[in-house]
Amino acid sequence: MRRRPPRASRALVALSLAVAGGATVVLHDHLERLTAAALRPGPGTPVVVATAALPRGATLGPKDLSTRELPARFRPPGALTAPEQAAGRILAAALASGEVVTWTRLAPVGGPVASMVPAGLRAVPVTAPLPPGTVAEGDRVDVLATYAGGRTYTETVIQAAEVLRVSPPAEQGGGTTVLLLVDPEGAERLAYARAFGDLALSVVPPPAVEGAE
């Protein structure tokens, strides 16, 4: 005949199950409170944002900036807290509307051109026949020089120079002037080519996007 467990054993099993169930409920409640605390955004801090899309090289004015509250945990490193911090500064990179302004987006203090020139480079103007709208800031171009003389020849003076700025022709039929970022040696080559040759620009295609067909 099968023996039944003692009554005390059955009571202990029931007590153990009750304790385990209670612990599960307490643990579940604790985890829910931790999750809710993690999802709470926390206290807000002021940050400066762009009121509209702003291009690289734009000089920031009061109408370009505003402030809004952002949870401290979502605040980008180096975010500005007051529009006055950026007033009159030049953008080193474009900003989207509503994007937080950080110190890394501001060019070093200087003139409208000097502040945009990276360390080690020079901004050199080059004027060449170019239809309006052919190139834009950020494009890259080659500079070709044609030298006349006993035997006319053409050589590439600069390759893949970044276009910093584009100025429209001063008069009908005049060439377009572009500011190119080059190293000091490239600036010397451009000065020589401009003095003794006729310059032309060749537009460089953008780099291929990895994975694109």
Side-chain angles (χ1 to χ4, degrees):
M1 179 180 294
R2 187 176 180 181
R3 297 180 59 186
R4 294 184 178 181
R7 183 176 300 176
S9 298
R10 295 198 298 270
L12 286 175
V13 171
L15 179 61
S16 298
L17 291 175
V19 170
T24 301
V25 172
V26 171
L27 178 61
H28 179 72
D29 184 62
H30 179 64
L31 290 176
E32 282 191 339
R33 289 199 299 271
L34 289 178
T35 302
L39 293 176
R40 282 196 295 269
T45 59
V47 294
V48 178
V49 298
T51 58
L54 299 170
R56 173 191 179 193
T59 300
L60 297 175
K63 66 177 182 179
D64 300 319
L65 307 168
S66 64
T67 57
R68 68 182 177 92
E69 293 286 318
L70 192 68
R73 60 184 298 187
F74 298 132
R75 177 183 173 183
L80 276 63
T81 57
E84 296 77 17
Q85 294 173 303
R89 296 291 296 273
I90 295 172
L91 281 178
L95 283 174
S97 178
E99 185 175 352
V100 177
V101 183
T102 61
W103 289 110
T104 56
R105 292 301 184 96
L106 303 181
V109 176
V113 173
S115 61
M116 299 296 295
V117 180
L121 298 183
R122 304 291 185 267
V124 180
V126 173
T127 301
L130 202 64
T134 302
V135 296
E137 297 173 2
D139 285 346
R140 292 186 178 272
V141 297
D142 294 339
V143 182
L144 292 77
T146 300
Y147 301 97
R151 188 171 70 88
T152 301
Y153 69 98
T154 299
E155 69 175 10
T156 300
V157 181
I158 295 293
Q159 289 185 319
E162 182 181 354
V163 177
L164 181 63
R165 287 198 174 179
V166 181
S167 299
E171 56 185 24
Q172 189 66 25
T176 298
T177 299
V178 296
L179 270 177
L180 302 181
L181 291 176
V182 298
D183 59 25
E185 183 181 345
E188 292 180 2
R189 293 198 303 270
L190 282 174
Y192 180 88
R194 187 167 48 194
F196 298 101
D198 294 324
L199 302 185
L201 299 179
S202 175
V203 181
V204 177
V209 178
E210 186 176 351
E213 296 183 357

